[in-house]
Amino acid sequence: MSDERSRVQPDAEAEADEKPIKQRKNGLYAAVSDELAQNMKSGWADTELRGLRPIPQAERTAARRAALSARFPGERLVVPAGNLKTRSNDTEYPFRASTEYTYLTGDQTQDGVLVLEPEGPAGHTATLYLLPRSDRENGEFWLHGQGELWVGRRHSLAEAEQLLGIPAKDVRKLPGSLAEAAGPVRAVRGHDAGIEAALTDKVTAERDEELRVFLSEARAVKDDFEVGELQKAVDSTVRGFEDVVKVLDRAGAETNGERYIEGTFFLRARVEGNDIGYGSICASGEHATTLHWVRNDGPVRSGDLLLLDAGVETHTLYTADVTRTLPFDGRFTDLQRRIYDAVYDAQEAGIAAVRPGAKYRDFHDAAQRVLTERLVEWGLLEGPVEKVLELGLQRRWTLHGTGHMLGLDVHDCAAARREAYADGTLEPGMCLTVEPGLYFQADDLTVPEEYRGVGVRIEDDLLVTEDGNRNLSAALPRTSAEVETWMAALRGA
């Protein structure tokens, strides 16, 4: 990365009025001659794109905005995309637009803000506030650290209107107009401090939370476009898992083979999608007993199991979330197979419970019962099973819930009310994971020594259908025998 990319003064337009104009280089401001400044104003071709077709989800985002409008008549609604976040000094993390903003617009532009202005007693006028093209006349496009010369071309406001089907205006004028606006306002918080500051004394935490909850619950049932995007995410994820199996021997030769696996899957995510949907868990050996092991700094060794929990995020930001537990050597030991098969049986019971009209908790309860039965059979818990379940004693080794909603967020709909989510009922179009696991910590003296340091999870992504469910990730083998055959074929054994 060139050091000259460093940010200039925040107000490029004001800076252009000074003599001499200055450009920041290596953290310092260097003078720019009048002749160079004048030269940079002209000689540029017209690159405006015309006749653009709307993005595929434009009709669906319009329907989502209409539903939002109907829920909060007569109120101004403000939904920001968010801003860049500093990683270190003058470098930033890759930008990812807020889920609520993307869901309502299909746009992923930093600093964007969707505003729904009330229009009469019912209805709203939607406007998208975006950064316009960088100004060539005042030098913004080459003097400012976020100018297009440094970070690349962005769509003009006219282009954005064609693509998104929403009138677009300059976002730099929005804080002032929001500060002057009257009437009730709701905003999605936590993404744009500048917008929130402009709304001081106009919003309340309670009102804003109602907006966030509504948008979270609205995402529970996916439309056909969303299901298609989730299937794309899963299909790419399947290929990413295949990539990992093919390089297991190479990873085993590295001191930190987990990182090699992480990088291998990441390559697939970046080539076929936008990114990974969450930090990949590439946990070998006893690391597999840590639920969110994302350090991925350990070796991958012969005799160990590898727990790989990873998902590709599509270009439209829908993510898969799949887990497989793989024997590094290609075959499970007797104990590993016993534990794996127990988790598989629990997942089978959970998947069978996923159907329209079922309670959301049913698939969790079904999977927990199977795991508890196995723990009692192995003598790790004293029955009866009903008593163990009542006391929750199995949770020492099952640890977590058996699944969650899936969509634009890996843990989608997280702000939904309990009665609409955990205590709710499954409907066609809902997408969720089913992911039981057993985890025996390396220092757990309550289990025989051979169990210690073994962790197994199997996770698939399911769509609730009219008559049951469809496993979106069925292309990945699940039974222990199928896993061994699949690994052998990929490794040429």
Side-chain angles (χ1 to χ4, degrees):
M1 178 187 292
S2 168
D3 288 337
E4 291 186 288
R5 181 195 171 285
S6 300
R7 238 191 270 299
V8 206
Q9 296 174 355
D11 192 342
E13 187 170 0
E15 181 183 14
D17 293 335
E18 299 175 359
K19 303 297 182 183
I21 296 174
K22 296 180 180 180
Q23 180 185 34
R24 187 174 179 181
K25 178 179 180 180
N26 298 331
L28 301 174
Y29 289 98
V32 173
S33 69
D34 290 344
E35 289 78 6
L36 176 59
Q38 189 62 36
N39 177 274
M40 292 294 285
K41 291 181 180 181
S42 60
W44 305 103
D46 177 12
T47 61
E48 184 75 8
L49 304 175
R50 297 172 177 85
L52 296 174
R53 301 183 65 178
I55 59 174
Q57 67 268 45
E59 289 186 7
R60 293 170 174 84
T61 56
R64 295 167 193 167
R65 294 191 299 274
L68 177 62
S69 172
R71 173 62 181 82
F72 299 106
E75 302 183 49
R76 182 175 290 103
L77 308 173
V78 182
V79 184
N83 316 126
L84 285 174
K85 289 182 171 57
T86 299
R87 181 181 186 273
S88 175
N89 190 23
D90 58 354
T91 61
E92 294 88 16
Y93 288 105
F95 178 73
R96 202 276 195 186
S98 74
T99 291
E100 295 86 355
Y101 176 85
T102 302
Y103 178 73
L104 293 168
T105 68
D107 183 48
Q108 300 177 33
T109 306
Q110 68 194 54
D111 303 322
V113 184
L114 172 68
V115 178
L116 271 62
E117 293 281 352
E119 188 178 67
H124 290 79
T125 299
T127 304
L128 205 54
Y129 290 85
L130 303 167
L131 283 173
R133 296 289 308 279
S134 291
D135 195 324
R136 306 267 174 142
E137 183 64 28
N138 69 13
E140 174 194 352
F141 91 105
W142 69 289
L143 290 173
H144 194 283
Q146 287 299 312
E148 290 177 288
L149 183 71
W150 296 107
V151 299
R153 186 187 189 279
R154 54 181 174 256
H155 286 301
S156 70
L157 298 182
E159 291 168 355
E161 289 183 352
Q162 295 176 65
L163 290 167
L164 304 171
I166 313 171
K169 295 183 179 180
D170 189 338
V171 71
R172 292 172 295 190
K173 301 176 181 178
L174 179 60
S177 63
L178 287 178
E180 297 171 0
V185 182
R186 296 179 190 262
V188 175
R189 298 191 184 201
H191 301 296
D192 194 318
I195 293 300
E196 290 183 31
L199 292 171
T200 301
D201 301 328
K202 298 178 184 294
V203 294
T204 67
E206 181 180 358
R207 290 165 56 80
D208 290 350
E209 182 64 10
E210 289 175 353
L211 172 60
R212 190 171 79 103
V213 167
F214 173 81
L215 290 173
S216 190
E217 293 179 5
R219 299 197 306 274
V221 175
K222 272 60 180 178
D223 58 35
D224 290 344
F225 174 83
E226 294 179 291
V227 172
E229 290 301 296
L230 284 168
Q231 187 66 69
K232 287 181 187 177
V234 169
D235 292 346
S236 289
T237 299
V238 168
R239 290 187 283 273
F241 274 63
E242 292 171 347
D243 295 339
V244 166
V245 172
K246 291 175 183 177
V247 302
L248 272 182
D249 292 334
R250 181 70 180 85
E254 298 289 338
T255 302
N256 54 351
E258 291 175 345
R259 289 281 170 91
Y260 198 91
I261 289 167
E262 179 183 359
T264 298
F265 186 85
F266 180 71
L267 177 62
R268 178 66 66 174
R270 288 293 280 167
V271 167
E272 294 193 1
N274 176 61
D275 207 327
I276 50 175
Y278 53 95
S280 298
I281 299 169
C282 309
S284 181
E286 67 181 58
H287 291 165
T289 67
T290 300
L291 295 183
H292 290 165
W293 178 261
V294 293
R295 299 179 206 172
N296 300 334
D297 59 0
V300 181
R301 296 168 299 204
S302 176
D304 282 349
L305 294 176
L306 169 68
L307 191 156
L308 178 60
D309 184 336
V312 172
E313 178 184 76
T314 65
H315 294 293
T316 57
L317 307 188
Y318 288 85
T319 184
D321 181 8
V322 178
T323 305
R324 289 295 184 270
T325 305
L326 312 173
F328 176 84
D329 296 321
R331 293 192 65 82
F332 294 96
T333 67
D334 290 344
L335 178 67
Q336 290 169 350
R337 189 184 305 276
R338 179 197 302 174
I339 296 172
Y340 185 96
D341 288 349
V343 174
Y344 170 78
D345 290 342
Q347 194 199 31
E348 279 284 273
I351 290 174
V354 174
R355 56 183 181 274
K359 294 179 180 179
Y360 177 82
R361 293 183 185 274
D362 285 352
F363 73 92
H364 169 74
D365 293 341
Q368 288 287 299
R369 175 172 290 277
V370 172
L371 293 177
T372 303
E373 289 171 350
R374 297 299 187 276
L375 292 168
V376 171
E377 288 175 14
W378 299 339
L380 303 183
L381 286 171
E382 183 177 348
V385 169
E386 294 296 341
K387 186 64 173 180
V388 173
L389 288 168
E390 179 185 345
L391 299 175
L393 298 180
Q394 82 284 358
R395 293 178 60 184
R396 181 183 179 99
W397 302 295
T398 65
L399 296 180
H400 55 79
T402 308
H404 52 80
M405 293 291 189
L406 187 67
L408 282 168
D409 285 332
V410 65
H411 295 153
D412 210 21
C413 312
R417 296 164 298 160
R418 177 178 290 274
E419 58 267 30
Y421 190 165
D423 293 338
T425 300
L426 296 180
E427 301 177 39
M430 289 183 171
C431 289
L432 52 94
T433 68
V434 178
E435 50 175 310
L438 282 173
Y439 313 91
F440 300 101
Q441 307 303 315
D443 59 351
D444 188 348
L445 301 181
T446 70
V447 299
E449 185 175 358
E450 62 267 26
Y451 283 81
R452 298 172 196 166
V454 178
V456 174
R457 180 164 65 252
I458 311 172
E459 177 180 20
D460 285 272
D461 301 342
L462 271 69
L463 168 68
V464 182
T465 61
E466 294 291 342
D467 57 358
N469 67 69
R470 174 158 58 94
N471 186 349
L472 302 179
S473 46
L476 278 179
R478 290 193 298 124
T479 70
S480 55
E482 290 170 345
V483 166
E484 290 174 339
T485 300
W486 171 71
M487 291 182 68
L490 289 172
R491 299 169 88 173

